[in-house]
Amino acid sequence: MHPRSKPGEKQMKQLCIFADGSNVICRVAKRILATPEMTVFESSTAAETLEMCRRSMPHIIVVSNNLPDMSAPDLIRAIRSIKGAVTPRILLSLVEMDVAAIMRARRAGADSYLLKPFVREQLLGSFRTIEIAA
């Protein structure tokens, strides 16, 4: 049961976009996160991510710091400008700890960050943390 669910309440399926230029990272994330409660979509560019968000805003978006067509802060701002029923939780994903990049992403509207390559426990832990904070 979802932490915010009430007994007997039907749980809505969570949608997630993993936006990363690396197909391997996206596939690993999808394999770890996809469950009957969560559908994970992959995106390799900012343009593709924005199009997906305009069609149906996901609950969680993981944005890589190295997308080929737009900076992560610009993508985060663009996502935040799309008005809809869902306000997504946005995580920045980085290859190494970069406080300046994290701060730029947070100012743009990111909720948190995670480091890659990630392991199953780390990724699931990050998702549990943002669900509890929501």
Side-chain angles (χ1 to χ4, degrees), residues 1-15 37-38 58-60 85-89 111 126-134:
M1 183 186 307
H2 191 277
R4 291 174 289 171
S5 297
K6 295 181 180 94
E9 181 178 61
K10 185 171 178 164
Q11 182 57 44
M12 182 173 66
K13 187 163 186 139
Q14 297 282 299
L15 302 177
E37 295 82 31
M38 181 175 292
H59 301 93
I60 302 169
V86 174
T87 301
R89 308 292 289 174
D111 296 293
S126 293
F127 272 61
R128 273 193 286 286
T129 300
I130 62 170
E131 282 183 353
I132 290 168

Side-chain angles (χ1 to χ4, degrees), residues 41-106:
F41 298 98
E42 301 172 40
S43 170
S44 60
T45 66
E48 184 179 24
T49 302
L50 286 171
E51 181 57 35
M52 293 167 85
C53 289
R54 287 184 189 108
R55 282 195 311 260
S56 179
M57 185 63 76
H59 301 93
I60 302 169
I61 305 169
V62 180
V63 175
S64 174
N65 199 37
N66 63 353
L67 288 170
D69 57 338
M70 186 183 290
S71 74
D74 287 344
L75 175 56
I76 293 165
R77 276 190 284 279
I79 292 168
R80 290 288 185 220
S81 74
I82 300 170
K83 299 301 178 211
V86 174
T87 301
R89 308 292 289 174
I90 301 176
L91 288 89
L92 175 70
S93 83
L94 306 132
V95 178
E96 61 185 13
M97 181 58 91
D98 181 341
V99 175
I102 293 168
M103 294 311 299
R104 285 190 297 273
R106 301 266 310 175

